[in-house]
Amino acid sequence: MSSADEILDVVDEQDRVVGRAPRGEVYARGLIHRCVFVRVRDADGRVFVHRRTPTKLVFPSMYDMFVGGVVGAGESYDEAALREAEEELGVRGLPRPEPVLRFLYDSGGVAGKWWSAVYEVRCELPVDPQVEEVAWHAFLTEDELAARLGEWEWVPDGLAAYERLRAEAAGRG
C-alpha cells in the first residue's frame, strides 16, 4: 500500500472525526486531518534535525526540526507520536513522547488544513533514520538550529510549530 492509499480520519475545525478517506484524496480535496510533530532531543539536549526525502508527498526535500506524520484512521495522537518517532528515527523502546501543544495549521492550499499535535521526547538510543523519510540528519544545539533558520528551506508546518513552542517558552519565562 502506498502512502497515498493510507486511510486517515477526516476531522472538522473542532477536531471531531467526520469521516475517513485515503491520504491522497485528503490532500487533493484539502480535507482537515490530523498530524503529529515530535521534537526529539538527545542526551545532550540537542535537537534532531533532518532533510526530508524528495519522494515525500508534502514538502519534499525540505528541512524539519520535528519527526512525525499523519495520524492514521482510528489512531490516537499519542499512539501516532510514538509510532512516527520510532519509525523515522529507526529505534525501538523510545519513551512515550509528552504532549506540549495542539493547533490547527493552514497550509495555504498546499494540502489543506491539519490539526497539529506537538510532542517532545528524549532519545538516548542510537538513531538509524528511515531512508524513505530522511535524506540527511544531525543533532543540533538550539544556537546551531537558530543560525540555520534563515539559511535552509524549512517545512512551513514544522516552522509554525517551532515558533509556537518558542512563543510559549517566552511566555513562561
Side-chain angles (χ1 to χ4, degrees):
M1 179 170 78
S2 78
S3 64
D5 296 326
E6 181 181 3
I7 303 298
L8 307 181
D9 284 331
V10 175
V11 298
D12 64 15
E13 300 240 351
Q14 286 71 48
D15 199 15
R16 295 178 299 226
V17 176
V18 296
R20 288 188 171 165
R23 183 197 294 215
E25 180 182 337
V26 167
Y27 288 178
R29 293 178 51 205
L31 302 173
I32 303 174
H33 55 289
R34 294 172 169 165
C35 291
V36 292
F37 300 74
V38 184
R39 180 163 56 180
V40 179
R41 294 186 183 275
D42 67 4
D44 296 324
R46 297 175 301 178
V47 178
F48 181 84
V49 174
H50 69 283
R51 188 176 67 249
R52 296 162 61 90
T53 58
T55 56
K56 297 293 287 179
L57 285 175
V58 177
F59 310 132
S61 300
M62 296 176 90
Y63 288 88
D64 201 348
M65 67 278 289
F66 298 94
V67 296
V70 297
V71 178
E75 187 177 35
S76 73
Y77 283 111
D78 290 352
E79 291 166 338
L82 180 59
R83 175 184 54 78
E84 286 284 351
E86 287 188 338
E87 282 177 7
E88 285 193 38
L89 295 171
V91 300
R92 290 288 172 254
L94 198 63
R96 183 160 294 282
E98 296 291 326
V100 180
L101 61 91
R102 193 178 302 178
F103 66 100
L104 181 60
Y105 177 77
D106 186 342
S107 71
V110 173
K113 297 179 184 179
W114 49 90
W115 276 99
S116 306
V118 182
Y119 289 77
E120 292 185 336
V121 71
R122 185 166 301 273
C123 179
E124 298 183 8
L125 304 165
V127 299
D128 184 20
Q130 190 176 34
V131 296
E132 299 83 12
E133 304 273 342
V134 177
W136 169 91
H137 73 280
F139 282 95
L140 302 180
T141 66
E142 289 287 344
D143 288 343
E144 290 169 332
L145 175 56
R148 285 164 179 83
L149 288 176
E151 298 173 7
W152 294 349
E153 190 176 12
W154 296 90
V155 296
D157 59 346
L159 196 54
Y162 176 78
E163 289 167 354
R164 285 174 184 265
L165 285 174
R166 287 184 54 184
E168 187 175 280
R172 285 192 309 253

